[in-house]
Amino acid sequence: MPTLTCPWYVDLHRIIRPILTSTRQKIELKAEDLYDKEKVDLETIVIEDVFKLLQCEDTGLNSEEAQRRIELFGPNKLEQEEQNAFLQFLGFMWNPLSWVMEGAALVAIVLSNGDNQPPDWEDFVGIVLLLFINSTIGFYEERNAGNAVKALMDSLAPKAKVRRNGTWSEIESSELVPGDMISFKIGDIVPADCRLTEAINVSIDQAALTGESLPQSKKLGDQCFSGSTCKQGEAEGVVISTGANTFFGRAASLVGQDDDTTGHLQKILAQIGSFCLVSIGIFVVAEILVLYAGFRYNYRRGLNNILVLLIGGIPIAMPTVLSVTLAVGAQQLAKHKAIVTRITAIEELAGVTILCSDKTGTLTTNKLTIDRATIRTYGPFSADDVMLLAAYASRTENQDAIDASVVQALGDVARARAGIKLLDFKPFNPVDKRTEITYREESSGKLKRVTKGMTGIIIELCTRNKTEELENKLEADVEEFATRGLRALAVAYEELDSDDHESEGNGFELIGLLAIFDPPREDTKQTIDDALALGVKVKMVTGDQLAIAKETGRRLGLGDHMYPAKVLKDGPAPGGKHLSLDEMILDADGFAGVFPEHKYEIVKRLQGLGHLCAMTGDGANDAPALSRANVGIAVEGATDAARGAADIVLTEPGLSTIVHAIRGSRVIFQRMRNYSIYACAVTIRIVVCFAILAFAFRFDFPPFMVLIIALLNDGTIMTLSVDRVLPSMTPDAWDLAEIFSYAVAYGIYLTASTIALVTIILKTSFFYDKFGVEFTSGTVYPSANDPQLHMIVYLQVAIISQALIFVTRSHGFFFMERPSFALLGAFCIAQLVSSIIAAYANWGFTQIEGISGGWIGVVWVWNIVWFAPLDWIKFAMKATVIKKLRERHVAAAAASQESGVPITRTQSRVASIHESLYSNRVSFIRRAARKVGFGSKISMKPEELQRFSSIQAQRTGATLARNPSRTAAA
């Protein structure tokens, strides 16, 4: 695709430096900052001149011209610079734990060159190989996960309604070109910079562009910019600029892009990393004091012992394993059609205790239909007449769900405009809550007007036949509909005496009541039962009437303890069973008549009661509640604005997708928790074990063999990211005190298993007497640094340390929860390799020597005997230490609730320099989200926006003038 080069393009980087503020949070821009003020006329261009400059008409472009312009101007999207794959690969080696290993490599190659010995090349190569293997596995898994999530994310690319070849159609917004005629309505994100050619009660939210807190009304000729949200009404406009030349595109190049690479996971990684580093540091200092000051070791011998602690104690794979687990988890959630746009939402979704769900489209099918058998009529009109007049008062293009259901109920859609001439149409908006058409009946030439909408609004308009009797009958019919889960839509009619379609009529007359039905989804009841079994209470939050909400709740098994939204303002009734509003909200099964601000209030209060809350939403006005919730969920079919505010975007309808996501997030959480316990336990096991062996027996274990243990461990442990684990049946949360407690218990126990083995070998002839095994030196009592004793210790540590994962991954006995075939296979291969090394590795450079099959058998039996009680240690910890910790947490939560301390969502932020060093390796999610328009904040005054739009039109016109179409040239 050719690139357009124009002399009026300027170097934005040259402009930006004096504009940026130190906080980088708010940038004040003027039109001149985005275009060279010396080369342009900043006067406002009227809409008629815009059409001339863009060489287009209000009927739109034809396909051939649109294709020519997309080649000229490029696609309507911001090109993202792809992350360098090599730097991405190296990023896996950039964190404090890797730095310790990299430091150990430098120690091996630089500082080990002493005591007339060459540098420790073997350990250096081994450490570097270990780092590269970790990076390779992490890089491969992240790329796979990133590609899967990106593919699904791309399916959410914003769409635009465009008029081409004289007809309206829907295309991807990236295909828009200057000169296109577009339309948008409430809930849509404006797909490109445009000037309005038609505006009906239009209100645009430009907060992301100008910082204005309130939506701005727009009229004919006004500008609307890409990325702003239509809050009310509907509009048509002509596109004046696309892609990088839009206001959003030019501003984004100034502001730069946020990258969500630090957050809650980094906090956890930092604390676990600190636990490991402190543990290692304590014993490294102890070894320096004891080995050098106490035992008077020479320089190289003491350094080798320290290297053992550094290499073996650092859980080098931890950042990779946890991050890859999240990345793979995001990929697995994508298979359930749930796209994660904020990675920490996976952790928080695992801990959600209350799910506030929309009714329409989530609990129900969102396929509205008119129940013709229940149509109520008032006056001389028949049910068919009412149906036809209601169809007149409905849009036939750009329809909302109600208009579509009414028109489709006719059978023949063409009847909705047959025999009439449309004079004026007012679409539905949240203020008026009705639609209205004024038309001329072709058969009689009379002007007539029909309106349909909410019953309370319509009956107030009916001045001709409104009586107390009629109001009572209407109310009774609405209540009857409500008890059956039907939604009422009133229809009224009037005639105009004059020939002016804007004049008053002779008064509206209520003529009928339509029943609209949205049946529950077939899977909803079972899904709610599944959510309750997972410890998640589902509350219905709907804008429908209270009676409809109760009936739907009863059908679904949610319960009918539901309240109107006004209780959120008025509080519980005096003398009722609820003493406070918080108590009522917690007890309620749902709320009816809810507006977006009510959703926000419900979430805020539930969080204040100590709950992690998920909230579903689909409209532009739901954005505040979605942002406030711990996990904001944009349901299938949500507006682009709701998707942008949500943490998880669903691409399939129904509540079952959400429950699948909850279950999937808990599986992911369990994998991360299992590995965290394992990694911390192995750190304790290595540093405590080898430090005590050095202190007690002056045992000098070869650093290279610790590298072999780490290498085999990492290869096996990486499979935890796809391990088969049982999700918790209660909401999850990180409890580092619990993780560290388990780790210390397991680590000390495994340390005892090794020290006991070495003590028995060095101090007794037990194994020779019972099994007839001896050393090649022919002695029964070897020296502390016999190469074969080193090999025995290597094999014992390698086997039982890796087997620990089967204990940490299970809730009960390890054999009751089958691991994944990947984990089991990797474990078996690693143990086979370890046993072969033990039998045949006679590596003189690392002071080891192969041992007999008898010794290998002894070590295996020894490990099996010591492995069996590990489950009982786990149970003992649960019954004592862990129980106490959980009781303390419950008490703390209760105290927090009494003090009124609110619980809010975990914000993605750099809590400290230390935490920020742990890159979470899932920035691919944020990159993919940005490509479809999620996210980005600057400030610009409205008058500057208007000037900027004029400049855009001029520049686009100049480009078209320099590149005329063949038709124009002819």
Side-chain angles (χ1 to χ4, degrees):
M1 184 176 292
T3 302
L4 178 65
T5 305
C6 298
W8 45 268
Y9 271 41
V10 296
D11 182 1
L12 294 178
H13 295 289
R14 176 173 57 83
I15 293 177
I16 182 57
R17 289 191 182 92
I19 303 172
L20 286 173
T21 64
S22 60
T23 63
R24 297 187 63 85
Q25 291 177 350
K26 191 173 183 180
I27 300 175
E28 291 286 349
L29 296 180
K30 294 184 178 180
E32 299 95 308
D33 296 328
L34 300 174
Y35 287 96
D36 192 332
K37 63 181 178 181
E38 296 178 359
K39 298 180 181 179
V40 299
D41 177 10
L42 294 180
E43 296 297 324
T44 301
I45 298 176
V46 297
I47 191 67
E48 291 78 9
D49 290 339
V50 170
F51 280 106
K52 293 178 183 178
L53 284 169
L54 300 184
Q55 301 175 23
C56 62
E57 299 177 355
D58 58 5
T59 55
L61 304 174
N62 58 44
S63 298
E64 181 181 351
E65 178 64 12
Q67 182 59 37
R68 187 185 78 87
R69 294 193 182 196
I70 203 167
E71 293 175 358
L72 188 63
F73 294 99
N76 179 36
K77 60 182 180 181
L78 301 183
E79 292 300 326
Q80 294 286 336
E81 183 179 347
E82 292 294 329
Q83 186 175 9
N84 185 285
F86 181 67
L87 294 179
Q88 187 180 359
F89 173 79
L90 293 181
F92 282 91
M93 291 185 264
W94 187 256
N95 60 73
L97 298 180
S98 293
W99 294 343
V100 174
M101 290 296 285
E102 290 153 11
L106 291 176
V107 168
I109 197 67
V110 178
L111 299 181
S112 292
N113 190 11
D115 292 337
N116 298 318
Q117 296 183 48
D120 192 351
W121 288 105
E122 295 84 3
D123 286 345
F124 173 77
V125 171
I127 293 170
V128 172
L129 182 64
L130 181 62
L131 287 167
F132 270 86
I133 288 175
N134 268 294
S135 293
T136 300
I137 294 173
F139 177 78
Y140 173 77
E141 292 288 359
E142 180 187 320
R143 296 287 279 199
N144 278 355
N147 291 337
V149 173
K150 179 181 178 296
L152 192 58
M153 189 83 76
D154 287 345
S155 69
L156 296 180
K159 300 288 193 290
K161 287 191 176 178
V162 62
R163 193 172 193 176
R164 287 185 181 171
N165 302 313
T167 60
W168 288 98
S169 61
E170 188 174 71
I171 63 173
E172 288 195 8
S173 63
S174 61
E175 298 175 14
L176 290 176
V177 295
D180 266 329
M181 290 297 299
I182 60 173
S183 73
F184 51 87
K185 60 182 184 301
I186 181 172
D188 291 345
I189 287 182
V190 180
D193 289 6
C194 64
R195 294 285 289 274
L196 298 184
T197 59
E198 181 179 334
I200 304 174
N201 299 323
V202 175
S203 178
I204 300 292
D205 182 358
Q206 300 180 155
L209 304 179
T210 65
E212 297 163 336
S213 58
L214 297 176
Q216 302 297 304
S217 296
K218 297 289 182 179
K219 61 184 184 300
L220 178 69
D222 282 351
Q223 76 291 342
C224 288
F225 292 110
S226 171
S228 54
T229 304
C230 182
K231 288 289 190 179
Q232 181 178 312
E234 55 186 82
E236 294 179 7
V238 57
V239 174
I240 61 174
S241 197
T242 59
N245 295 320
T246 62
F247 174 81
F248 184 84
R250 288 188 169 268
S253 66
L254 299 183
V255 180
Q257 298 286 359
D258 267 347
D259 201 358
D260 186 15
T261 53
T262 59
H264 190 236
L265 178 61
Q266 285 61 60
K267 195 170 186 177
I268 301 301
L269 279 171
Q271 290 176 305
I272 294 175
S274 297
F275 174 82
C276 296
L277 291 173
V278 169
S279 301
I280 294 167
I282 290 171
F283 284 91
V284 165
V285 171
E287 282 205 344
I288 291 174
L289 295 175
V290 174
L291 301 187
Y292 286 118
F295 296 161
R296 303 294 179 183
Y297 273 18
N298 60 42
Y299 172 72
R300 183 65 176 269
R301 184 181 178 186
L303 198 60
N304 284 342
N305 278 278
I306 291 171
L307 275 176
V308 168
L309 303 191
L310 292 177
I311 297 169
I314 291 292
I316 183 63
M318 185 185 70
T320 300
V321 170
L322 295 189
S323 299
V324 165
T325 298
L326 276 180
V328 172
Q331 181 181 7
Q332 291 170 340
L333 288 180
K335 291 179 181 177
H336 288 299
K337 307 302 181 184
I339 303 176
V340 180
T341 61
R342 183 175 65 94
I343 195 62
T344 53
I346 291 180
E347 299 170 74
E348 295 182 359
L349 188 58
V352 162
T353 55
I354 293 178
L355 170 62
C356 297
S357 174
D358 275 341
K359 178 181 74 71
T360 306
T362 307
L363 300 177
T364 59
T365 61
N366 195 24
K367 293 181 180 178
L368 299 180
T369 56
I370 302 296
D371 189 351
R372 296 184 67 107
T374 61
I375 294 177
R376 299 288 189 268
T377 61
Y378 310 96
F381 293 88
S382 68
D384 288 340
D385 292 337
V386 171
M387 194 69 252
L388 182 60
L389 290 173
Y392 286 168
S394 304
R395 287 195 68 104
T396 56
E397 295 179 342
N398 294 332
Q399 297 170 314
D400 60 25
I402 294 178
D403 281 357
S405 67
V406 172
V407 173
Q408 289 168 7
L410 286 178
D412 181 5
V413 176
R415 291 182 60 202
R417 290 293 180 266
I420 66 170
K421 181 181 180 181
L422 175 65
L423 300 177
D424 185 47
F425 188 90
K426 295 179 180 178
F428 177 87
N429 67 72
V431 177
D432 297 330
K433 295 181 173 60
R434 65 186 180 95
T435 63
E436 181 182 286
I437 184 174
T438 305
Y439 64 94
R440 184 184 302 277
E441 191 175 57
E442 293 179 349
S443 60
S444 64
K446 291 183 178 180
L447 267 61
K448 299 181 179 181
R449 185 175 291 141
V450 179
T451 183
K452 73 178 195 318
M454 289 185 62
T455 55
I457 300 292
I458 299 300
I459 191 63
E460 290 299 320
L461 298 174
C462 296
T463 56
R464 284 180 61 197
N465 69 338
K466 184 173 71 169
T467 63
E468 185 176 350
E469 180 183 356
L470 179 65
E471 287 187 277
N472 291 338
K473 181 173 173 49
L474 177 65
E475 185 178 352
D477 288 339
V478 170
E479 286 296 326
E480 181 188 348
F481 284 177
T483 58
R484 299 172 56 187
L486 301 175
R487 190 173 180 180
L489 188 69
V491 184
Y493 161 88
E494 72 173 354
E495 295 184 358
L496 280 71
D497 297 328
S498 71
D499 204 41
D500 180 8
H501 71 270
E502 294 183 355
S503 65
E504 295 289 332
N506 61 357
F508 277 110
E509 173 185 356
L510 182 67
I511 62 172
L513 192 68
L514 304 182
I516 304 177
F517 182 51
D518 180 17
R521 298 177 59 83
E522 292 181 0
D523 62 342
T524 300
K525 190 175 189 311
Q526 181 59 48
T527 302
I528 290 173
D529 292 340
D530 292 343
L532 292 173
L534 291 170
V536 179
K537 181 174 174 56
V538 181
K539 294 181 183 292
M540 182 195 301
V541 180
T542 178
D544 268 341
Q545 299 171 15
L546 181 60
I548 295 176
K550 286 186 175 183
E551 177 66 18
T552 305
R554 283 192 288 268
R555 293 186 185 187
L556 296 175
L558 271 178
D560 58 1
H561 291 142
M562 300 190 185
Y563 304 95
K566 66 178 183 179
V567 302
L568 296 172
K569 180 180 179 181
D570 301 339
K577 68 174 184 176
H578 300 114
L579 299 178
S580 66
L581 179 57
D582 286 344
E583 186 180 335
M584 173 181 280
I585 291 175
L586 195 57
D587 177 64
D589 296 318
F591 295 89
V594 167
F595 287 98
E597 57 269 26
H598 297 137
K599 285 187 174 184
Y600 184 91
E601 182 68 17
I602 291 168
V603 170
K604 181 179 178 181
R605 287 186 174 273
L606 287 173
Q607 288 175 331
L609 292 170
H611 290 275
L612 292 184
C613 188
M615 171 66 80
T616 67
D618 61 356
N621 291 339
D622 289 331
L626 293 177
S627 298
R628 173 74 193 196
N630 298 89
V631 181
I633 302 171
V635 298
E636 191 269 343
T639 62
D640 294 333
R643 288 171 175 173
D647 305 311
I648 294 178
V649 180
L650 305 183
T651 58
E652 276 192 354
L655 190 67
S656 60
T657 306
I658 301 174
V659 175
H660 277 308
I662 291 174
R663 189 178 286 109
S665 68
R666 292 190 187 179
V667 167
I668 296 163
F669 185 93
Q670 286 298 316
R671 290 170 181 160
M672 293 193 296
R673 179 182 177 277
N674 295 344
Y675 175 74
S676 299
I677 295 174
Y678 170 81
C680 294
V682 169
T683 294
I684 296 295
R685 185 264 194 284
I686 294 291
V687 297
V688 176
C689 174
F690 287 110
I692 291 177
L693 287 176
F695 299 159
F697 304 110
R698 303 197 181 190
F699 182 83
D700 302 328
F701 191 70
F704 188 79
M705 298 313 294
V706 173
L707 269 173
I708 298 298
I709 293 173
L711 192 60
L712 292 175
N713 271 0
D714 289 355
T716 301
I717 295 307
M718 286 293 178
T719 61
L720 274 180
S721 62
V722 293
D723 187 25
R724 179 182 177 272
V725 299
L726 294 176
S728 170
M729 297 309 291
T730 56
D732 289 315
W734 282 106
D735 189 338
L736 293 180
E738 190 173 306
I739 289 173
F740 296 153
S741 298
Y742 275 123
V744 170
Y746 293 142
I748 296 299
Y749 178 80
L750 295 184
T751 295
S753 73
T754 304
I755 292 174
L757 177 65
V758 173
T759 302
I760 291 173
I761 291 174
L762 291 177
K763 302 298 184 181
T764 73
S765 59
F766 175 79
F767 293 115
Y768 177 77
D769 296 339
K770 298 295 183 182
F771 304 103
V773 291
E774 58 183 355
F775 293 87
T776 53
S777 60
T779 179
V780 177
Y781 300 97
S783 68
N785 289 304
D786 187 295
Q788 285 191 313
L789 179 58
H790 287 166
M791 186 63 85
I792 291 170
V793 172
Y794 156 76
L795 185 60
Q796 193 272 336
V797 171
I799 293 172
I800 198 166
S801 295
Q802 204 169 102
L804 175 65
I805 191 59
F806 297 110
V807 175
T808 64
R809 65 173 295 280
S810 59
H811 297 282
F813 288 105
F814 77 93
F815 52 82
M816 299 295 290
E817 298 177 26
R818 178 176 66 80
S820 66
F821 289 116
L823 177 58
L824 192 59
F827 172 78
C828 292
I829 291 172
Q831 299 320 308
L832 178 62
V833 171
S834 292
S835 298
I836 291 173
I837 290 174
Y840 300 107
N842 294 306
W843 300 333
F845 68 87
T846 191
Q847 299 175 346
I848 61 167
E849 185 179 328
I851 55 178
S852 65
W855 272 116
I856 293 175
V858 165
V859 171
W860 270 97
V861 171
W862 179 268
N863 280 337
I864 290 171
V865 170
W866 279 82
F867 178 79
L870 275 169
D871 274 331
W872 293 103
I873 291 177
K874 175 171 61 184
F875 300 148
M877 288 291 293
K878 284 184 178 179
T880 55
V881 177
I882 305 305
K883 182 180 179 181
K884 291 287 186 184
L885 287 174
R886 290 179 178 175
E887 288 175 351
R888 188 178 68 184
H889 288 321
V890 170
S896 175
Q897 182 173 329
E898 290 177 4
S899 63
V901 177
I903 297 179
T904 56
R905 70 189 296 171
T906 301
Q907 298 291 339
S908 178
R909 60 185 184 279
V910 182
S912 68
I913 294 177
H914 183 206
E915 292 165 16
S916 69
L917 296 174
Y918 289 86
S919 177
N920 68 14
R921 316 308 318 152
V922 285
S923 59
F924 67 85
I925 287 178
R926 186 57 59 192
R927 293 197 299 273
R930 284 200 298 263
K931 286 188 177 182
V932 295
F934 293 169
S936 272
K937 214 169 204 179
I938 63 162
S939 178
M940 196 168 185
K941 295 180 179 179
E943 56 268 25
E944 294 296 332
L945 288 173
Q946 192 170 11
R947 297 167 69 199
F948 177 75
S949 71
S950 297
I951 299 170
Q952 287 178 305
Q954 283 189 345
R955 294 314 170 196
T956 303
T959 302
L960 289 170
R962 287 194 298 272
N963 298 272
S965 66
R966 292 171 186 159
T967 305

